[in-house]
Amino acid sequence: MLSTLVGASILFFGVSLLGNFWNLAGGLFERVSDFVDPGPATVNTFRAGGVFAVLVGMGWVASGLREIFW
């Protein structure tokens, strides 16, 4: 059950990054670029990170559902 909740949280975060909802990816880019030289990176770099977060979240949810139902 806990892994399903963690997976849903990661999945929600990844979808938020991917769609740049609430300017999440833009805000993260602005904060990180204050500390680190962004070089050729753009806000789309963080949006691409959302793809990986969605995949990780789906894995967590799938493993959690497997524990619940089987």
Side-chain angles (χ1 to χ4, degrees):
M1 183 72 173
L2 181 63
S3 62
T4 305
L5 293 174
V6 170
S9 300
I10 294 171
L11 188 64
F12 179 74
F13 179 70
V15 168
S16 297
L17 273 177
L18 189 60
N20 200 15
F21 300 126
W22 306 286
N23 198 26
L24 184 63
L28 281 175
F29 178 73
E30 291 297 322
R31 290 199 184 266
V32 170
S33 65
D34 288 342
F35 299 108
V36 180
D37 180 30
T42 63
V43 83
N44 290 331
T45 305
F46 286 93
R47 293 182 74 188
V51 172
F52 296 110
V54 166
L55 293 175
V56 169
M58 285 174 38
W60 274 76
V61 169
S63 68
L65 290 177
R66 191 180 69 214
E67 291 175 7
I68 292 172
F69 292 117
W70 287 282

